[in-house]
Amino acid sequence: MDATIENIGVSQRANLEVFSGTLQQLAQTDRDIIVVTSDSRGSGKLVPFGQQFPDQIIEVGIAEQNLVGVAAGLASTGKKVFAVSPACFLTARALEQIKNDVAYSNNPVKLIGISAGVSYGALGSTHHSLHDFAVLRTIHNLIVVAPADNFETEQAILLAADTGMPVYIRFGKKPMPLLSEEERTFAFGKGRIVREGTDITIIGTGETVAPALLAAEKLERANNISATVVSMHTIKPLDYDLLQNIAASGQPIVTVEEHSIYGGLGEACASFLIQNSLHNRFKIIGIPDEYTVTGSQTEIFNHYGISEEGIAAAALGLIG
Amino acid sequence: MSEKELAQKSVEYRKKILKYIYQAKAGHTGGSLSCIDILNVLYNYTMNVDAARFDSPDRDRYIQSKGHTVEALYVVLASRGFFPESDLETLCKYQSHYIGHPTRKVHGVEQNTGALGHGLSLSVGTAIAGKLDKRDYRVFTVLGDGELPEGSNWEAALSASHYKLDNLCAILDKNTLQITGPTSAVCNTDPVDGKFEAFGWAVRHVDGHNIGELMAAFDALPFEAGKPSLIIAHTVKGKGVSYMENQLKWHHGVPDTRQYAEAIQELDLLEETLA
């Protein structure tokens, strides 16, 4: 049986649901957990949280600037605040509040970008967040995370609740497979190797790691090429040690992201490699400089080569 | 502090604002002079805040939304013992912590501000936390009339009344001038009282340079139970220095040596009349 998204690892829940469930668990013993939403209770799967902890959810209406400012004010008093909003609006409309009220003032808000990347698919480019890595990477004092599977999501939420730093975490709506039974360690700033290989390395982030893993299995099956797959869940701080090690092995590197090819994971990796004279063959896969085609998240992924076939073809191109 | 002592304090603060802006060759003179009486009464009469116990969760909070007039905040904090006043000799200079907008690097500053339209949302979040924790602290924020067109203010104003934040008091430093010209000509926000009332706030007007009126207004908080309070303080940009008053160029004008001496002389005379 060929590998599919459904049968790599164990098919599980949407990362979004893991987020809301983890938050609910945390709130049972921690009255300081506060959710702030901008009419995103439903889309954030936070209805059960709100029912169970009505005093720990603050609704500001569709007002993202206020969402982030209020969250920062709450966090300044010691609350563990999760500000939840669609990633596209949270990181564009409230960018100045993220920069000033959260990161510059060091109010450790957990900014949760839901329905990230092209999760909203056919709703179009107003609803896509393909800029968030690029803009948030330039903001000092902010951790930027895109978990790949349910395990990473749960760990990211637990760590975020405990850290004294501002964190941005983004994920989509689709059920995600468990990407590795073996590698079950997680720390911000440390990439997670979900598949070991010797010929090429594919570095993905967020929901692109699953197709990267499928591509690796296809390369093994069809071409006898052994690929490493890394979930680089933390875009910033980037895991330079891991990149250094990968590059030192001489393997070609493919990066894959649900983001513009400008300013995201790929360019972050390329910048590190070039500046350290590590000239591995290198390819960035992401959304090109255009407003995306219409379609579901999967269709858009397939269109731009963020897929088993597309990633495998890019890998072969580098090795060829 | 008595009303008379506070009035004397305001003159002292005005002289210090001018001194440090003059020395730094940078700063926002006009707006600092328009809001200084408000900050004076807040810090020396109204607020429960103490430099030695600034980490107290029960302290009253002050968040300066119109961050460009930070010089007013710095001289008040110095006088309340948050840091040695001599630190202000470094104002705006290379590697100083005392930069031209509020920063938490300075002891006593609650939030980094300066970009306009941020203070009210920060204050709303802080006030909601006070309600959640059943603490008695109050949150004060000074808004500039020039920053009101920022939409975030109105988002925050809505949520303040939605959450019935009667522990929140915004003070509008209505000096009627902004960098380009009269606020009414740049983007008229009047009638501002009616707008805030329609947003669910309780509103009062005061003469923002009348210490007694400011004290009485703060004493009357909250103006209505279950509503956030807005004090519209009618002020004069550049107040206290006759040649600066209501003059646009003093928005961020810096006095030269002769102008500085003239201003101090005028304030010295005022000080004598208050003695």
Side-chain angles (χ1 to χ4, degrees):
Chain A
M1 183 174 66
D2 283 354
T4 65
I5 290 281
E6 284 69 34
N7 66 22
I8 51 172
V10 181
S11 184
Q12 293 202 358
R13 294 181 295 159
N15 287 338
L16 176 60
E17 289 169 18
V18 174
F19 152 69
S20 58
T22 306
L23 217 49
Q24 222 169 329
Q25 287 294 319
L26 281 171
Q28 279 172 1
T29 53
D30 192 344
R31 297 285 297 166
D32 282 336
I33 298 284
I34 303 286
V35 171
V36 190
T37 85
S38 52
D39 199 25
S40 305
R41 195 182 303 234
S43 44
K45 304 289 179 200
L46 290 162
V47 172
F49 182 99
Q51 285 166 343
Q52 195 174 354
F53 307 105
D55 296 337
Q56 288 171 254
I57 187 162
I58 304 292
E59 174 64 71
V60 297
I62 302 171
E64 291 80 13
Q65 296 181 74
N66 192 41
L67 170 86
V68 177
V70 166
L74 281 156
S76 75
T77 71
K79 300 289 182 197
K80 297 171 184 172
V81 185
F82 289 77
V84 183
S85 185
C88 52
F89 308 127
L90 178 66
T91 60
R93 204 139 188 166
L95 182 60
E96 200 185 68
Q97 279 75 14
I98 293 174
K99 171 191 156 196
N100 293 337
D101 303 350
V102 174
Y104 180 40
S105 274
N106 195 30
N107 291 310
V109 175
K110 324 310 169 190
L111 300 153
I112 306 297
I114 60 174
S115 302
V118 293
S119 292
Y120 281 127
L123 295 188
S125 293
T126 56
H127 283 55
H128 297 169
S129 62
L130 299 173
H131 62 282
D132 47 349
F133 295 158
V135 294
L136 299 183
R137 276 179 63 214
T138 64
I139 292 179
H140 174 63
N141 194 37
L142 184 64
I143 298 168
V144 179
V145 181
D149 64 4
N150 291 176
F151 162 73
E152 290 184 11
T153 300
E154 181 183 39
Q155 294 300 305
I157 298 303
L158 294 174
L159 272 183
D162 263 349
T163 182
M165 275 186 72
V167 186
Y168 170 67
I169 304 173
R170 60 113 103 169
F171 35 66
K173 300 192 292 184
K174 202 164 73 169
M176 296 308 296
L178 185 66
L179 294 173
S180 170
E181 295 285 5
E182 293 82 36
E183 181 49 66
R184 304 298 290 268
T185 57
F186 183 92
F188 291 145
K190 290 289 161 203
R192 175 173 169 238
I193 298 168
V194 294
R195 187 183 198 276
E196 300 266 10
T198 52
D199 300 326
I200 188 166
T201 296
I202 306 167
I203 304 175
T205 192
E207 301 194 1
T208 68
V209 183
L213 199 53
L214 292 178
E217 292 179 12
K218 180 184 170 72
L219 288 167
E220 185 90 61
R221 202 169 56 238
N223 307 92
N224 200 28
I225 288 171
S226 164
T228 296
V229 177
V230 174
S231 169
M232 196 66 92
H233 47 70
T234 309
I235 305 293
K236 188 183 179 188
L238 200 58
D239 189 346
Y240 292 141
D241 291 341
L242 180 56
L243 272 177
Q244 174 93 43
N245 291 342
I246 292 165
S249 74
Q251 295 180 25
I253 298 168
V254 178
T255 66
V256 199
E257 61 198 299
E258 189 178 359
H259 186 274
S260 164
I261 53 169
Y262 294 151
L265 170 72
E267 285 198 350
C269 292
S271 171
F272 171 79
L273 295 171
I274 290 290
Q275 292 189 77
N276 288 279
S277 302
L278 300 165
H279 302 293
N280 299 52
R281 279 165 287 164
F282 190 86
K283 169 76 181 169
I284 295 173
I285 299 176
I287 307 290
D289 187 26
E290 66 182 47
Y291 294 106
T292 63
V293 294
T294 302
S296 67
Q297 183 197 35
T298 303
E299 287 166 334
I300 295 172
F301 272 22
N302 289 339
H303 182 86
Y304 294 112
I306 307 170
S307 59
E308 178 178 346
E309 289 74 21
I311 297 166
L316 285 173
L318 281 191
I319 289 172
Chain B
M1 232 181 253
S2 70
E3 184 176 339
K4 183 182 174 187
E5 287 167 325
L6 287 167
Q8 290 168 328
K9 203 81 185 161
S10 276
V11 182
E12 180 189 322
Y13 286 152
R14 286 193 159 84
K15 286 161 68 174
K16 287 179 178 172
I17 288 167
L18 290 164
K19 174 183 172 185
Y20 293 113
I21 288 176
Y22 168 66
Q23 288 184 356
K25 297 187 175 59
H28 287 82
T29 314
S32 290
L33 294 176
S34 73
C35 72
I36 189 61
D37 297 306
I38 300 163
L39 268 68
N40 179 13
V41 176
L42 279 173
Y43 273 91
N44 291 306
Y45 177 74
T46 299
M47 288 202 306
N48 168 30
V49 62
D50 179 347
R53 293 183 297 108
F54 187 61
D55 57 354
S56 165
D58 292 315
R59 72 187 183 280
D60 286 336
R61 268 75 164 179
Y62 172 71
I63 294 167
Q64 185 152 314
S65 192
K66 46 172 290 181
H68 51 288
T69 60
V70 70
E71 294 83 11
L73 177 59
Y74 285 164
V75 299
V76 171
L77 288 175
S79 83
R80 289 301 315 270
F82 281 89
F83 52 83
E85 193 191 304
S86 57
D87 284 7
L88 294 179
E89 302 284 347
T90 70
L91 179 69
C92 290
K93 295 197 172 135
Y94 178 59
Q95 292 193 326
S96 174
H97 284 177
Y98 298 86
I99 58 178
H101 288 94
T103 162
R104 293 173 95 169
K105 288 179 180 172
V106 173
H107 187 44
V109 173
E110 292 280 359
Q111 297 289 353
N112 297 349
T113 52
L116 294 172
H118 288 242
L120 199 52
S121 289
L122 287 162
S123 301
V124 166
T126 311
I128 289 174
K131 292 277 186 193
L132 290 174
D133 292 341
K134 298 187 169 46
R135 292 190 184 278
D136 293 330
Y137 68 75
R138 298 176 298 174
V139 185
F140 297 90
T141 186
V142 168
L143 310 173
D145 50 356
E147 71 169 323
L148 281 188
E150 288 283 8
S152 48
N153 287 310
W154 303 100
E155 294 179 6
L158 281 171
S159 55
S161 64
H162 180 81
Y163 282 99
K164 304 185 190 327
L165 299 179
D166 54 9
N167 54 348
L168 170 64
C169 173
I171 305 102
L172 181 65
D173 178 24
K174 194 171 179 10
N175 64 30
T176 71
L177 284 178
Q178 61 189 100
I179 196 163
T180 296
T183 298
S184 58
V186 175
C187 179
N188 189 17
T189 50
D190 282 329
V192 71
D193 49 4
K195 289 186 175 69
F196 271 88
E197 279 162 357
F199 275 58
W201 289 56
V203 182
R204 282 198 190 179
H205 291 262
V206 300
D207 173 347
H209 302 305
N210 184 314
I211 301 291
E213 280 191 33
L214 285 165
M215 293 165 81
F218 288 129
D219 283 345
L221 292 173
F223 300 148
E224 283 184 50
K227 286 188 175 184
S229 302
L230 175 71
I231 297 174
I232 299 176
H234 295 272
T235 60
V236 173
K237 202 151 191 163
K239 174 72 177 178
V241 180
S242 55
Y243 67 83
M244 291 182 180
E245 289 188 358
N246 283 318
Q247 296 301 308
L248 195 60
K249 74 172 200 173
W250 292 104
H251 175 81
H252 52 23
V254 174
D256 62 22
T257 304
R258 184 188 57 77
Q259 289 167 325
Y260 174 62
E262 202 177 308
I264 296 298
Q265 193 177 25
E266 192 175 330
L267 289 165
D268 282 342
L269 285 173
L270 178 60
E271 203 163 35
E272 282 171 27
T273 66
L274 291 173

